[in-house]
Every structure is written in structure tokens, then in C-alpha cells.
Amino acid sequence: MIQKIFVSDMSWESPHTPDMFKSEWKPEANVELNTNSEALSDEGIYLVNLIVTVTVKNAAKTAFLVEVKQSGIFTLQGMSAEQLGHVLGAYCPTVLFPYAREMISSLVSKGGFPELALAPVNFDALYFQTQQEKQKKADKADA
């Protein structure tokens, strides 16, 4: 159950404006996604954070850097540890991503740059990839 969704932090940097507006616009974007979670109580209440960082360069100069920390408070009960890990690592970020995407789009537009529409993200695939990498590291440590 979703208790609350909110922005807990955001930042905008555009170090080369207004000169950036004089250049031909051929942007190169880099998107980073990070998540973390923590239990807020013993009653199954969790805080989940999705941090989305977008760096856009134009002609090898940083046009802008925007970071949004989209957060949510969720009540999660009646799950095994494995199910809980999946919900915290994939389902909750999937719920939070559209809010972060909208905030980033708004900040980019207000910064005077062309619209930036981030593509949807498959957090299930990212979660399973992360789990496989952890397993490989554990297997190497055991060997």
C-alpha cells in the first residue's frame, strides 16, 4: 500500500548558460538510476528512494545536470524476505519513476532546454540483473 509519494531532494545545474543556447543542439545524455530503502517501523512501513541523475552534454560541454530523489512510504506486509526484496527493489521504484520523470522534464523545460522525456525503465530486469551480479560475487568469494 502506498502511504505517501514525495520529492525529498532535487538539484539543477546549468554551468554553461547562456552560451549553451548559442550552440547547435546535439545533446548526449547519460542517465543514472539508484535505489535504496529502509524500514521505518517494525509494522512493515518502508521508505524507498529512487535517485535519477541526468547529465546532458552538448559539444563536449555540460549543458545541464539534473538530479531528483523521488521517495515513497509504503506499507508492505505478509511477504517472504525474497518477495520483500523484489518489491522494495523493483515494484516500488516502478511506482516512483513516473513522478521523477515528470519532475525532471519540468526542470529541464524551466531551465530553457528542449523537452526531455525519459524512456520507461524495466526495474524488474534491473533488479534481477543486480541479484545475479551479487550471486556471482558471492560465488567468487566462496571459491
Side-chain angles (χ1 to χ4, degrees), residues 48 56 64 97 102 125 130:
V48 178
V56 173
F64 62 84
F97 184 73
E102 188 281 326
T130 301

Side-chain angles (χ1 to χ4, degrees), residues 7-103:
V7 173
S8 52
D9 194 15
M10 68 177 136
S11 67
W12 168 265
E13 295 177 35
S14 183
H16 298 286
T17 55
D19 291 337
M20 188 58 59
F21 299 131
K22 298 175 188 174
S23 304
E24 182 181 359
W25 188 240
K26 292 184 178 179
E28 295 177 20
N30 179 52
V31 179
E32 293 180 33
L33 302 168
N34 292 294
T35 63
N36 61 54
S37 61
E38 66 179 274
L40 297 179
S41 77
D42 293 336
E43 290 88 42
I45 299 174
Y46 294 86
L47 171 67
V48 178
N49 298 302
L50 170 64
I51 302 101
V52 182
T53 306
V54 179
T55 305
V56 173
K57 293 188 176 194
N58 192 48
K61 287 186 176 180
T62 300
F64 62 84
L65 182 142
V66 61
E67 183 171 270
V68 171
K69 183 177 180 182
Q70 189 70 49
S71 303
I73 299 174
F74 299 85
T75 300
L76 307 170
Q77 298 173 331
M79 296 178 204
S80 68
E82 185 177 315
Q83 290 171 323
L84 181 61
H86 183 241
V87 169
L88 291 171
Y91 174 77
C92 294
T94 298
V95 169
L96 296 173
F97 184 73
Y99 295 92
R101 180 174 53 198
E102 188 281 326
M103 180 60 68

